[in-house]
């Protein structure tokens, strides 16, 4: 049985009369422990798909099923990692931010602090726990977001261009860390990006979107390269060409701008 | 996320660290010199007392203790009204932010009343609440409420969507969202509103004391008119400015020490 299932999805913003459909006839099944990457340039509805699974928004038609039940609201079973640092609470320290989920769930102070410190170590920020987000770099802040999600032990991770605003070197490091982390605990991941390399590095399947409005899946490309994946192998390059071709076919001109090879 | 901006001049606080103090001191010195020069040119010194006469009046008012009494009276009214208004304004702003129903129900009144000066209510306030302290406190609270409420509401509007969504994805219910995210996000804005409101409180209390009081700096100034005691008026006026300056700095310091971390919440 699939862990996350979207079927017959149509999405338009409510209350705007004859508004355009962002998504139409969209179907996606994600198996437990599977890493699915959605790729496509801005405006093709990938974030909308993630918001539907997260329970931030609801489809005009169709059903979003997570663990056998229809999604009605956000919840700690689906951790979300956002692109920017807006989602961290700026008045809390790194540790306090990581503790937020357990604190909301009502875990005792000492217990949740212990858990947060463990996860701080796990993301390689040991000793930085007392700092506030404004004192941390972009890469560190994304690590904090990751730890904050992991601390909840969610089986589903929803990541919306989490490394999109990070410099290339840090981004590469974060990608490798995420891949290693996923290997360890195998959560179900829906990951959004417009970076082909990132998609190939992480995905079990790459979901190439058609342009919006009326967006749907253009092509589903399985990535069978052995993990951990090496960006420099020829197979990686071959896969890059294949994803790029799929994107170009689906988007025409737009894809060239969106997929500049690093 | 942030793009680097072009360097602007003197952004580095190390550039001329002592300079602001020197400029401060020079500016004040120039004021006193100008004050002296203007007063010396007046044919009738009684209409425009110079620094010397004013200082003499100040010494006398300090010695007989009346200045301290007037300061205490005005300050008590300002702080009581300000505190009351700030609490009500914060609650009102938060309610308006948290509930669309309340926002739209209350909005017309807030945006109608905030244009009616507190001073306009003084005669009515004294008729309704008497000549005692409560009428002044009520009017000061009135002017404070709107500044604080509107700023708090602005703080609500400035909360990034991702911040709300992240908390909800971590399982936060309505109450937790309010206390863990929304309220702390608004504190910085509420404090700014309070700082603005403080100036309004000063203006209003003086007017109230001129119209209906037997103590306070406003009363000191208006009652001096009967005796042509312009030097005393000057003392009252300058004291108001100095007091406002000091209260504002004290407010900044206290809010920084107690709620400083929320200032990061932009």
């Amino acid at each position: 049985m699939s862990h996350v299932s979207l079927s017959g999805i149509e999405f338009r913003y409510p209350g705007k009369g004859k508004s355009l459909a962002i998504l139409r006839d969209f179907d996606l099944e994600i198996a437990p422990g599977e890493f699915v990457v959605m790729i496509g340039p801005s405006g093709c509805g990938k974030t909308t798909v993630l918001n539907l699974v997260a329970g931030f928004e609801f489809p005009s038609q169709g059903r979003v099923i997570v663990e056998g039940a229809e999604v009605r609201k956000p919840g700690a079973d689906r951790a979300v990692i956002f692109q920017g640092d807006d989602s961290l609470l700026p008045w809390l320290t790194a540790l306090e931010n990581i503790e937020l989920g357990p604190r909301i769930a009502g875990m005792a102070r000492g217990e949740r602090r212990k858990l947060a410190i463990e996860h701080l170590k796990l993301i390689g920020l040991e000793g930085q726990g007392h700092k506030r987000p404004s004192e941390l770099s972009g890469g560190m802040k994304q690590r904090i977001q990751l730890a904050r999600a992991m601390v909840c032990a969610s089986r589903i991770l929803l990541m919306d261009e989490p490394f999109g605003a990070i410099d290339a070197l840090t981004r590469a490091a974060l990608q490798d860390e995420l891949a290693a982390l996923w290997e360890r605990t195998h959560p179900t991941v829906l990951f959004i990006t417009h970076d082909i390399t990132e998609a190939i590095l992480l995905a079990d399947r790459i979901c190439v979107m058609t342009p919006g409005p009326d967006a749907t899946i253009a092509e589903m490309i399985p990535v069978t390269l052995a993990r951990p994946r090496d960006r420099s192998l020829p197979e990686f390059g071959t896969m890059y060409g294949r994803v790029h071709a799929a994107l170009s076919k689906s988007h025409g001109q737009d894809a060239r701008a969106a997929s500049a090879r690093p | 996320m942030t793009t680097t901006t072009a360097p602007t001049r003197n952004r580095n606080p190390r550039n001329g660290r002592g300079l602001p103090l020197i400029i401060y001191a020079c500016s004040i010195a120039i004021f006193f010199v100008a004050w002296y020069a203007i007063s010396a040119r007046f044919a009738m010194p009684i209409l425009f007392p110079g620094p010397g006469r004013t200082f003499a009046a100040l010494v006398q008012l300090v010695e007989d203790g009346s200045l301290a009494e007037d300061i205490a009276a005005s300050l008590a009214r300002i702080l009581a009204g300000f505190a009351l208004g700030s609490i009500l304004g914060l609650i009102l702003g938060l309610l308006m932010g948290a509930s669309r129903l309340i926002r739209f129900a209350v909005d017309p009144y807030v945006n109608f009343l905030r244009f009616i000066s507190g001073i306009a209510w003084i005669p009515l306030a004294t008729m309704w609440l008497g000549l005692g302290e409560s009428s002044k406190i009520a009017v000061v609270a009135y002017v404070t409420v709107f500044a604080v409420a509107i700023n708090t509401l602005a703080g609500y509007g400035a909360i990034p969507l991702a911040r709300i969504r992240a908390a909800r994805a971590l399982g936060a219910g309505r109450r937790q969202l309010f206390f863990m995210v929304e309220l702390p996000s608004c504190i910085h804005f509420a404090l700014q509103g309070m700082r603005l409101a403080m100036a309004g409180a000063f203006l209003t209390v003086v007017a109230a004391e001129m119209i209906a009081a037997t103590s306070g700096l406003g009363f000191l100034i208006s009652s001096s008119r009967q005796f042509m005691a312009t030097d005393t008026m000057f003392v009252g006026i300058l004291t108001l400015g100095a007091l406002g300056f000091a209260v504002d700095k004290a407010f900044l310091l206290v809010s920084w020490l107690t709620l400083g971390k929320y200032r990061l919440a932009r």
Side-chain angles (χ1 to χ4, degrees), chain A residues 43-67:
Chain A
C44 71
K46 356 184 245 306
T47 295
T48 304
V49 173
L50 184 137
N51 285 345
L52 292 173
V53 179
F56 297 146
E57 300 195 274
F58 301 94
S60 326
Q61 277 177 41
R63 283 153 68 84
V64 182
I65 312 281
V66 170
E67 286 179 356

Side-chain angles (χ1 to χ4, degrees), chain A residues 31-114:
Chain A
E34 191 181 19
F35 201 125
V36 170
V37 174
M38 297 186 77
I39 195 163
S42 313
C44 71
K46 356 184 245 306
T47 295
T48 304
V49 173
L50 184 137
N51 285 345
L52 292 173
V53 179
F56 297 146
E57 300 195 274
F58 301 94
S60 326
Q61 277 177 41
R63 283 153 68 84
V64 182
I65 312 281
V66 170
E67 286 179 356
E70 188 153 3
V71 170
R72 300 202 185 280
K73 59 174 187 178
D77 57 325
R78 288 150 286 147
V80 184
I81 291 167
F82 300 83
Q83 178 176 16
D85 55 4
D86 275 352
S87 77
L88 295 175
L89 302 184
W91 56 86
L92 297 183
T93 63
L95 268 180
E96 287 166 341
N97 265 293
I98 296 174
E99 283 180 345
L100 206 57
R103 182 173 149 213
I104 286 167
M107 189 186 282
R109 188 179 289 266
E111 202 180 336
R112 68 182 192 230
R113 177 51 57 103
K114 221 181 103 206

Side-chain angles (χ1 to χ4, degrees), chain A residues 74-76 89 91 104 132 148, chain B residues 163 166 168-169 176 180 184-185 264:
Chain A
L89 302 184
W91 56 86
I104 286 167
R132 297 228 161 83
R148 185 168 75 170
Chain B
R163 201 182 284 174
R168 294 186 64 209
Q176 288 170 320
M180 289 183 186
S185 294
L264 300 167

Side-chain angles (χ1 to χ4, degrees), chain B residues 208-233:
Chain B
E209 287 169 350
M210 285 181 164
I211 295 168
T214 53
S215 64
L217 292 166
F219 173 73
L220 177 74
I221 293 166
S222 64
S223 61
S224 304
R225 191 162 164 260
Q226 295 165 20
F227 315 108
M228 287 280 278
T230 47
D231 46 4
T232 308
M233 289 184 193

